[in-house]
Amino acid sequence: VNGKKGRKPLADTTNLQEEIIEKSVPLKSDSSAPVAKKRSISKVLDVPADVPLRDDKFIDILEILKTAIYDFDQGIIALGSSRSYKNSNHLYVNSEHYIKVPRESTYDAEMYWVLMKWLRKIHGYEITGQWHLEQVCDDGDYHHLYCDLTIKKPNSPHLEGLLELLATASILKLEGHFEQIFKYEEQLHPREIWIVHFSREDYVVTNPYWPSEKLQEKGLNVVHFWHDRDFKNVRMSARFRDSSDNMQFEIEETNLLRSSIARFSAKNDKIKAENNKIKAENDKIKVENTELKTRIAKLEDKQTQNKLIKNLLSVSQKLLT
């Protein structure tokens, strides 16, 4: 069975934007087993990192997701395929079926950690994971619903974004969540709703599955992240409404490692410039201190001379009397 079989045609791209990015990050390890790296948001973000904004001044959810991906722990994601895993079943992963792939909880934990360290700790945003909701469904019974992640700006009465995460999901699973997320929206009323799909499936980016045009018109945004087993390479395909709600179609390929290196280089240049400025100020202070010491020494010499003259005058007056 071909992995592309059964996929529906893409919906109309009216008022939508599509973007593809690529990430390549080396995984450092002294052995064949993945090793979790030390967690530090500052290694990726220019702390205090500004929150990306759209042209309409609302937060840019997609840019936030792309930035968060930078700081996912490669070792933890890699271990997900052997410790916290599920089966890919009929989906092709490395051209094979029934491959162990990370569960949703692996990505959920990483995303929550990064957003908390960045948006919550630095900027005071409210980040809520597994928001417990209740709803009376068609069968007349109460059902418990759990929204994966929400983002809320400080001092704002409304949620900025609602994120529903999935992991290597089938088309049937995706369709279910495309509908499910609107149940969360009915109760939480966020400004944007996003399906965030992390997948090891071979065709998830080259032939992504999108929601119906009707759901897209209702405001459903979707992003697919493909990655290899060790999280060394990540590709992304997203469809979403832009800030002006106009029709846009854009394809972009970016080497995130190169972008990251460029950002580190710019950050280092900034630090070097600040250090040079501090060094210049210190040198100036040293010169001023030297001048001050010289002036103090001169004053002390003058005081000594004045004291000597005073003593001589005193002796002279005694001799005259």
Side-chain angles (χ1 to χ4, degrees):
V1 180
N2 190 295
K4 299 182 181 180
K5 188 175 181 180
R7 293 189 178 276
K8 296 182 179 179
L10 299 182
D12 185 9
T13 58
T14 302
N15 294 330
L16 297 172
Q17 182 173 351
E18 181 168 341
E19 187 175 348
I20 298 176
I21 65 173
E22 182 174 346
K23 172 183 179 182
S24 177
V25 180
L27 179 63
K28 296 182 179 180
S29 174
D30 295 331
S31 65
S32 58
V35 177
K37 58 193 176 185
K38 184 178 180 181
R39 308 310 301 271
S40 174
I41 198 74
S42 61
K43 70 180 174 53
V44 171
L45 302 175
D46 187 10
V47 177
D50 292 333
V51 178
L53 301 177
R54 307 193 315 180
D55 293 337
D56 56 9
K57 304 306 179 183
F58 287 110
I59 65 172
D60 193 323
I61 300 292
L62 183 59
E63 286 301 316
I64 285 175
L65 293 172
K66 288 159 62 175
T67 302
I69 293 297
Y70 281 114
D71 206 49
F72 272 27
D73 191 297
Q74 292 173 316
I76 290 176
I77 300 297
L79 287 173
S81 295
S82 61
R83 297 184 182 179
S84 179
Y85 63 86
K86 67 175 188 176
N87 199 301
S88 68
N89 295 324
H90 68 281
L91 299 177
Y92 274 108
V93 175
N94 296 333
S95 302
E96 296 182 18
H97 294 304
Y98 305 104
I99 301 299
K100 294 177 180 179
V101 295
R103 295 172 60 87
E104 177 188 316
S105 58
T106 302
Y107 306 104
D108 201 5
E110 286 297 289
M111 185 66 74
Y112 182 80
W113 188 91
V114 175
L115 295 183
M116 280 295 295
K117 291 295 182 180
W118 175 22
L119 300 183
R120 172 61 180 169
K121 298 295 184 181
I122 299 175
H123 298 285
Y125 279 60
E126 289 183 12
I127 307 298
T128 302
Q130 297 299 307
W131 193 320
H132 188 176
L133 305 171
E134 292 184 351
Q135 186 178 52
V136 178
C137 296
D138 296 337
D139 58 8
D141 292 334
Y142 271 98
H143 288 257
H144 297 275
L145 309 175
Y146 297 89
C147 174
D148 287 332
L149 287 166
T150 62
I151 302 173
K152 180 177 176 294
K153 291 177 66 175
N155 304 319
S156 174
H158 304 293
L159 295 177
E160 288 294 306
L162 186 156
L163 311 179
E164 180 71 0
L165 276 60
L166 290 91
T168 313
S170 64
I171 289 178
L172 185 62
K173 187 80 169 180
L174 285 169
E175 288 181 337
H177 282 267
F178 289 166
E179 297 287 346
Q180 179 78 5
I181 196 170
F182 286 98
K183 294 181 180 179
Y184 307 146
E185 183 192 37
E186 289 175 3
Q187 296 193 47
L188 299 177
H189 308 291
R191 188 178 61 82
E192 291 187 38
I193 54 175
W194 282 82
I195 293 290
V196 184
H197 181 210
F198 293 95
S199 181
R200 295 282 323 283
E201 184 194 358
D202 295 342
Y203 306 110
V204 72
V205 168
T206 57
N207 187 23
Y209 184 73
W210 304 113
S212 66
E213 184 177 353
K214 178 181 178 181
L215 295 181
Q216 293 177 34
E217 289 293 333
K218 289 176 65 177
L220 179 57
N221 304 289
V222 178
V223 56
H224 299 280
F225 287 105
W226 171 90
H227 67 86
D228 59 6
R229 187 183 186 281
D230 293 330
F231 211 69
K232 290 182 179 180
N233 297 285
V234 177
R235 297 186 181 91
M236 184 202 80
S237 182
R239 284 199 172 192
F240 57 98
R241 293 186 176 278
D242 64 14
S243 59
S244 58
D245 207 28
N246 292 326
M247 182 182 70
Q248 290 192 24
F249 181 80
E250 180 179 343
I251 296 178
E252 178 184 350
E253 292 189 10
T254 306
N255 186 322
L256 296 190
L257 175 60
R258 191 174 301 141
S259 299
S260 181
I261 291 174
R263 181 161 57 174
F264 279 127
S265 178
K267 183 178 179 181
N268 287 335
D269 290 342
K270 182 179 179 181
I271 292 173
K272 287 179 181 178
E274 292 176 350
N275 287 340
N276 289 336
K277 183 179 179 181
I278 293 172
K279 185 177 182 299
E281 291 176 351
N282 287 338
D283 291 341
K284 182 180 178 181
I285 292 172
K286 287 180 180 179
V287 171
E288 291 175 349
N289 285 340
T290 301
E291 292 177 351
L292 183 60
K293 287 180 180 179
T294 302
R295 290 175 62 187
I296 291 173
K298 288 181 179 180
L299 287 173
E300 289 177 345
D301 290 342
K302 196 169 185 180
Q303 287 177 348
T304 301
Q305 291 175 4
N306 289 337
K307 186 176 181 180
L308 180 60
I309 292 171
K310 184 178 180 181
N311 290 336
L312 290 173
L313 289 174
S314 177
V315 171
S316 298
Q317 288 177 354
K318 288 181 180 180
L319 291 174
L320 291 174
T321 58

